[in-house]
Amino acid sequence: MTTLRSVPPPPLRGVPSLKMSKHIDYGQLNALCHTRGLQSSWNTCTILSVHNKFIKQYPKIFLQGRNRLPKLVKQEGQRKARGGHSLYGPKESKEQLEELLSILKKLPIHRTLHEHNTVWKMLKTVPDLTSQLTDEHLKILSKSVTSETWVKGSTVIANDGFYVLLQGLARPGTQIHKDLIEENESPAAFVPQSFHSFVSCDDSENATLAEMYVPPCDAQLRPWSTFGTLEVTAHVQLEPEECSVVTEEDCEILKIPAKNYAKLKSEKTQLKNKQIVKLIQKCPYYEEWPTLSIYDLVLLVKWKKFPPGHVIVKSGNIISFVAYINSGYCNVYRNIVGLARLQSKKVKKVQKLVYMGQLNEKESFGEISVLLQLPFTCTVITGKEVEMAVIEDKAVFELDPVTQQLMLLTAKPTFGHLTDEDVKNEYLQKEQQKEWNDFKDKTMKNSLYYNGIIPGFGKWDHYWTSIPKNLKDALVSY
């Protein structure tokens, strides 16, 4: 046992110093503690007045955090337009704006890839463009934009393109509103940012767009305001003065020509048409069709997508369109009256669907049902997500008689070669196969469960004469 006499005493420790709280005003606390009359025992009125004074002064001993005001930001050019977009667009530095202008002064063919990307990123900051054009189309258009210099007092006719004011000030003239792109059916679907400042919500509902004049107050277009259209129509070409802007200073204006956008749409349409032509030509019924007749169908095609398990058409109904499967597949079923066993050892007749095959990619169906108005003999259900090119029945009836007759001669009813006897034989085979599988599973289970033997749950212990190899590594030696 070790003696404790040789162990030195523990070192002396000082009392920790009290830290002043950052949330208490000790000057106010000292004054509160020395409030006159607090320690006295005078009459009831005096005690009540001292108490009230103490309660009033008590909150002052707690330091209140100072609320820092946010920095003042210049609001010039930051007014919001209806719809949530900033009226005058992004705030570019002078260096960035000068770089952009120097790029736009070059011919598009002389610009580098980095310069094209710079212009594209700038166009992505313009809400009127990004809200109606895809990123892919905007990138293509950015490779052909240019910058125009207009001196003070010039009139810019904005009927041949879409304009973005980069430098200077301008004021709009008489405005007849045009959609940015023709896919917007509503004539008021697109109101450029440059006109939001002088068209209020209430006025715009009652005013006629064909007679919308600019009031004299607050009618300036500042940098990053937009005006013009990307649609080339005969109405715009005949009346160029309807949408004009007058420059009040020397201005630099970015222009996206409407012809470039029209060319882009034309190329997109041609690409889609080629895809449809290729799809129809690969369908078995149309392999020998003349190209001109196929082009008559291409103009009527609409694209549709159907989720898995969607019933395209039921047996006994007339289908409402002709379909060409571009991707995915459809399962085809035929109806048959079968017998279903009940728990009371009785049977009843029920309608059952018998799987007969599939409609795969590059196959068509519905021609005979639409043209002859015959009920469909099969039930078609999508197996997975299916994309189809469809032609509505109304459009099919508008085809010329020659094309309709050609479609009747080449097309065949969907799985029309199957007779009722084929469907019965297929149903009997499937039922027999199902009964055999049930009998086999039941017999196997009875054999395995005989005398209580359950696979994986044996009730006997195994005494090994030797240690299995797979357990030697797991043994622990003591």
Side-chain angles (χ1 to χ4, degrees):
M1 185 175 179
T2 307
T3 180
L4 297 178
R5 295 178 181 178
S6 60
V7 179
L12 298 177
R13 296 182 180 180
V15 179
S17 58
L18 296 176
K19 294 183 179 180
M20 304 289 285
S21 176
K22 297 180 180 180
H23 304 288
I24 296 178
D25 187 346
Y26 288 93
Q28 291 287 346
L29 178 61
N30 186 41
L32 186 64
C33 293
H34 292 83
T35 302
R36 185 177 180 181
L38 190 62
Q39 304 295 336
S40 304
S41 56
W42 297 343
N43 56 28
T44 307
C45 296
T46 305
I47 294 175
L48 184 60
S49 63
V50 172
H51 173 74
N52 292 337
K53 183 178 180 181
F54 178 87
I55 294 300
K56 186 177 180 181
Q57 297 295 330
Y58 177 74
K60 295 183 179 180
I61 70 174
F62 300 103
L63 294 175
Q64 301 293 332
R66 296 182 180 179
N67 296 325
R68 293 186 177 181
L69 297 176
K71 294 182 179 179
L72 294 177
V73 180
K74 293 183 178 180
Q75 298 296 327
E76 182 180 359
Q78 293 293 332
R79 294 173 12 194
K80 294 294 180 179
R82 188 178 55 181
H85 298 313
S86 176
L87 184 61
Y88 299 122
K91 290 296 180 182
E92 301 286 347
S93 64
K94 290 185 178 180
E95 293 77 9
Q96 290 176 327
L97 185 58
E98 290 177 358
E99 179 187 3
L100 177 63
L101 290 175
S102 63
I103 294 174
L104 294 176
K105 290 299 181 182
K106 297 180 181 179
L107 291 175
I109 195 173
H110 293 156
R111 297 173 192 167
T112 63
L113 180 61
H114 174 71
E115 291 174 339
H116 281 305
N117 289 334
T118 302
V119 178
W120 175 41
K121 291 178 181 178
M122 187 280 301
L123 291 180
K124 289 170 66 175
T125 63
V126 181
D128 285 337
L129 291 174
T130 56
S131 62
Q132 302 191 57
L133 295 177
T134 63
D135 200 28
E136 179 184 359
H137 290 172
L138 198 59
K139 186 174 184 179
I140 296 173
L141 291 175
S142 66
K143 297 180 180 180
S144 60
V145 299
T146 56
S147 177
E148 298 179 350
T149 303
W150 295 82
V151 297
K152 181 179 179 181
S154 301
T155 301
V156 183
I157 306 298
N159 65 344
D160 60 344
F162 187 76
Y163 294 82
V164 181
L165 185 62
L166 299 179
Q167 274 187 347
L169 298 175
R171 56 181 174 82
T174 305
Q175 180 210 358
I176 300 296
H177 169 65
K178 307 295 178 187
D179 281 345
L180 180 62
I181 52 178
E182 67 180 359
E183 281 78 6
N184 295 332
E185 298 177 357
S186 172
F190 165 66
V191 181
Q193 291 178 352
S194 52
F195 300 120
H196 277 304
S197 59
F198 53 86
V199 180
S200 64
C201 297
D202 297 332
D203 294 338
S204 62
E205 294 178 358
N206 301 324
T208 304
L209 290 175
E211 298 179 357
M212 186 182 297
Y213 291 90
V214 179
C217 60
D218 194 19
Q220 270 192 343
L221 304 184
R222 301 189 181 186
W224 302 105
S225 297
T226 58
F227 57 94
T229 179
L230 284 178
E231 284 305 317
V232 180
T233 61
H235 183 71
V236 174
Q237 292 173 352
L238 290 175
E239 301 178 8
E241 70 279 359
E242 288 182 347
C243 186
S244 60
V245 170
V246 180
T247 59
E248 295 186 346
E249 296 178 356
D250 294 343
C251 297
E252 290 288 341
I253 305 177
L254 179 144
K255 177 183 178 182
I256 303 176
K259 292 182 179 179
N260 292 352
Y261 180 68
K263 181 181 178 181
L264 176 62
K265 288 202 306 180
S266 176
E267 291 176 352
K268 182 181 178 181
T269 303
Q270 290 179 5
L271 184 62
K272 286 185 176 180
N273 290 344
K274 287 182 179 179
Q275 182 183 1
I276 298 173
V277 170
K278 188 177 180 180
L279 171 62
I280 296 177
Q281 285 180 337
K282 288 190 176 182
C283 292
Y285 303 150
Y286 301 85
E287 290 177 350
E288 298 182 0
W289 268 47
T291 306
L292 291 178
S293 299
I294 292 179
Y295 273 111
D296 291 340
L297 301 180
V298 169
L299 301 177
L300 308 176
V301 163
K302 296 179 181 179
W303 289 99
K304 286 188 177 182
K305 285 187 178 182
F306 298 95
H310 181 82
V311 179
I312 303 295
V313 60
K314 290 184 178 180
S315 177
N317 296 340
I318 299 175
I319 194 170
S320 60
F321 55 83
V322 178
Y324 307 90
I325 301 178
N326 184 50
S327 63
Y329 66 89
C330 296
N331 296 322
V332 179
Y333 301 88
R334 287 285 294 268
N335 288 354
I336 192 172
V337 178
L339 300 177
R341 293 181 181 179
L342 303 178
Q343 293 181 355
S344 59
K345 295 183 179 181
K346 295 182 180 180
V347 294
K348 70 173 183 178
K349 293 182 180 181
V350 293
Q351 286 282 345
K352 292 190 175 182
L353 294 177
V354 183
Y355 173 77
M356 304 302 298
Q358 283 185 353
L359 290 170
N360 298 311
E361 296 180 4
K362 310 300 184 290
E363 290 187 0
S364 64
F365 61 93
E367 296 92 343
I368 302 298
S369 179
V370 170
L371 288 173
L372 300 181
Q373 290 295 289
L374 296 176
F376 226 73
T377 59
C378 306
T379 298
V380 181
I381 302 176
T382 56
K384 63 178 184 179
E385 186 179 62
V386 177
E387 183 183 31
M388 297 180 182
V390 301
I391 303 177
E392 301 290 342
D393 50 1
K394 295 181 180 179
V396 174
F397 293 137
E398 292 176 358
L399 290 171
D400 59 274
V402 176
T403 306
Q404 292 185 20
Q405 192 65 27
L406 182 61
M407 186 178 291
L408 285 173
L409 292 175
T410 56
K412 297 179 181 179
T414 304
F415 285 80
H417 63 283
L418 296 175
T419 62
D420 293 340
E421 191 67 26
D422 296 332
V423 178
K424 289 180 181 179
N425 292 335
E426 184 69 20
Y427 172 71
L428 290 176
Q429 289 181 7
K430 290 184 181 298
E431 287 296 319
Q432 290 175 357
Q433 184 66 32
K434 182 180 178 181
E435 289 182 0
W436 164 246
N437 291 335
D438 293 342
F439 172 77
K440 181 178 63 175
D441 293 342
K442 185 177 180 180
T443 304
M444 291 294 295
K445 288 179 181 180
N446 291 337
S447 300
L448 291 174
Y449 295 168
Y450 185 71
N451 288 333
I453 300 175
I454 301 176
F457 298 93
K459 62 179 181 179
W460 291 282
D461 294 332
H462 299 273
Y463 298 97
W464 294 320
T465 56
S466 61
I467 301 174
K469 292 182 179 180
N470 60 336
L471 294 179
K472 284 184 177 180
D473 296 337
L475 294 178
V476 180
S477 58
Y478 296 95

